[in-house]
Amino acid sequence: MTGAVATVVLASMMLAGCGSAGNSKPSSGGASSAGGAGSQPAAGTAAKPEDKKPSLTFRLADTHPPDYPTVMGDKKFAELVSQKTNGRIKIDVYPSSQLGEEKAVVEQVQLGAIEFTRVSSGAVADFNKPMGVFSLPYIFDSEEHEWKFLNSADGNKLLDGMSGSKLIGLAYYDSGARHFYSRKPVKSVADIKGQKIRVIQNKINIDLVESLGASATPMPYGDVFSALQTGVIDAAENNWPSFDTSNHYSVAKNMILDGHQRVPELLMMSKAAFDKLSDEDKKIVKQAALDSVQYQRDEWKKFEKKSEEKIRAAGVTITEVKDVKPWQDAVKPAIDKYRAEFKDVLEAIDKARK
Ligand code: GTR
């Protein structure tokens, strides 16, 4: 993987500035191949808009498979940008971690070697501190509460604040709630104790898991399946769609619906690439991202339901959590540790509850 990533990175750096696609095959349909010669139609032939060669071709990296709701959102975003620019800007979506795991991709986006990505806000927390707030446990009561905050001026302020980390936050996508799942039986918060649990790589997640008496193993998403299979870790945590498409449910057959986090997904752009766009294109890109959100959320709802049904039918032992209080009490030290750092935004999140 490292070798492959290095090759892609090298290739993209060599191409940087040409606004051209890299060497992997994107998933989105349509004619590929970046600009270059031959973009003028032959004399006498009328050029249809779709025949027009893009003058800018960008890459968008996502860790999930092509039919996953975040990738569906990515493709909708790319389609809107293409429409609004009459095919002048083309965004090729690379799903399934083809361009690398999230942390490495964020680094490449900061450098401008990859122009766009969709990652979890959890994967950005160590690059842009304020985004860490979403990794704090039990800050949202519900999907409604979460989206009321994300759509508020304070939610937007967090996106805008990413530019200081060389990233342009374009939009939030839905990611539901995260739950623990394990190779071992987990019937209550006490059963989490002593387990070795994989988390998304950021400090808050480590504190969260440690507050439950477990040990945290941060690692890239793509390494989790074999780590679970071989018993290098006992457990991990995620939402229904990721538990499903990663196939983790085939090796970790016990899930507890504790809903410890609601960690929104982020659609973002490299600031280096954004700064090179005209003012008009900047507006188009920002608006297209926002215009893709409702579509992504609808796809999310459908997919989440299908994944839950599939996992239940597969015989995974699912424990409902009737009273979340013991969980909230257990993770309180993790929240308390960060309360001062996130004071203002936590207040804004509380305000969105009303
Ligand atoms: C998923 C998220 C991914 C990735 C993954 C993980 O829910 O959509 O972007 O962050 O979790 O646990 O690494």
Side-chain angles (χ1 to χ4, degrees), residues 62-64 68 70 101-102 118-123 174-175 178 181 198-201 219-222 224 237-239 241-242 248 263 265 300:
D62 196 309
T63 196
H64 289 302
Y68 195 94
T70 56
E101 296 287 345
E102 292 193 338
R118 192 293 314 161
V119 291
S120 169
S121 54
D174 208 346
S175 190
R178 294 176 80 99
Y181 47 80
R198 179 270 173 175
V199 290
I200 292 187
Q201 294 148 291
M219 66 168 75
Y221 188 50
V224 183
E237 45 78 59
N238 223 309
N239 50 42
S242 287
H248 294 173
V263 189
E265 311 284 10
W300 175 265

Side-chain angles (χ1 to χ4, degrees), residues 23-314:
N23 54 357
S24 310
K25 209 174 172 333
S27 86
S28 50
S32 71
S33 108
S39 52
Q40 295 302 318
T45 15
K48 289 185 248 126
E50 62 269 28
D51 290 341
K52 220 167 128 184
K53 291 263 161 106
S55 51
L56 288 170
T57 302
F58 296 133
R59 301 187 299 167
L60 190 163
D62 196 309
T63 196
H64 289 302
D67 63 336
Y68 195 94
T70 56
V71 181
M72 307 278 284
D74 302 339
K75 289 183 193 161
K76 172 61 75 183
F77 164 61
E79 187 187 309
L80 291 172
V81 170
S82 171
Q83 271 170 15
K84 288 179 186 181
T85 60
N86 264 323
R88 201 167 34 76
I89 300 185
K90 183 164 183 280
I91 300 173
D92 288 327
V93 177
Y94 291 77
S96 311
S97 295
Q98 285 180 57
L99 301 187
E101 296 287 345
E102 292 193 338
K103 203 173 163 207
V105 164
V106 174
E107 283 164 3
Q108 293 312 307
V109 171
Q110 282 184 315
L111 291 173
I114 297 173
E115 294 89 2
F116 291 91
T117 188
R118 192 293 314 161
V119 291
S120 169
S121 54
V124 179
D126 279 354
F127 296 91
N128 176 254
K129 289 252 158 65
M131 275 296 152
V133 71
F134 298 121
S135 293
L136 291 173
Y138 300 111
I139 54 169
F140 295 120
D141 296 345
S142 61
E143 180 194 338
E144 197 195 342
H145 177 202
E146 177 188 358
W147 279 92
K148 205 168 145 205
F149 172 76
L150 297 180
N151 287 330
S152 72
D154 293 295
N156 275 318
K157 209 164 105 188
L158 282 181
L159 286 182
D160 290 345
M162 293 174 73
S163 62
S165 307
K166 303 186 185 152
L167 303 166
I168 300 292
L170 295 172
Y172 296 109
Y173 278 173
D174 208 346
S175 190
R178 294 176 80 99
H179 313 287
F180 287 104
Y181 47 80
S182 177
R183 289 160 56 99
K184 301 177 177 171
V186 191
K187 296 284 181 198
S188 71
V189 65
D191 293 336
I192 295 284
K193 254 201 186 105
Q195 297 214 23
K196 221 169 161 195
I197 305 180
R198 179 270 173 175
V199 290
I200 292 187
Q201 294 148 291
N202 78 45
K203 291 194 201 76
I204 298 171
N205 284 331
I206 297 174
D207 287 320
L208 194 173
V209 159
E210 286 180 352
S211 70
L212 297 171
S215 74
T217 307
M219 66 168 75
Y221 188 50
D223 295 347
V224 183
F225 181 82
S226 70
L228 277 171
Q229 194 179 36
T230 55
V232 167
I233 53 171
D234 305 304
E237 45 78 59
N238 223 309
N239 50 42
W240 288 106
S242 287
F243 189 36
D244 165 13
T245 57
S246 61
N247 235 354
H248 294 173
Y249 73 97
S250 67
V251 278
K253 297 189 183 232
N254 305 277
M255 187 189 209
I256 186 154
L257 301 179
D258 62 285
H260 53 274
Q261 288 169 328
R262 301 189 70 90
V263 189
E265 311 284 10
L266 282 176
L267 182 61
M268 58 191 206
M269 186 174 186
S270 163
K271 184 169 185 301
F274 186 78
D275 287 347
K276 288 188 201 147
L277 295 179
S278 68
D279 287 350
E280 190 204 340
D281 286 348
K282 283 178 183 159
K283 265 196 218 131
I284 289 176
V285 164
K286 282 194 160 179
Q287 194 55 46
L290 295 176
D291 290 347
S292 69
V293 172
Q294 193 54 50
Y295 173 81
Q296 191 276 339
R297 290 186 64 188
D298 293 344
E299 291 302 312
W300 175 265
K301 275 220 164 65
K302 285 187 259 170
F303 203 95
E304 189 180 42
K305 193 160 170 274
K306 266 201 286 179
S307 291
E308 177 174 351
E309 281 164 10
K310 180 172 155 194
I311 289 161
R312 287 188 187 270

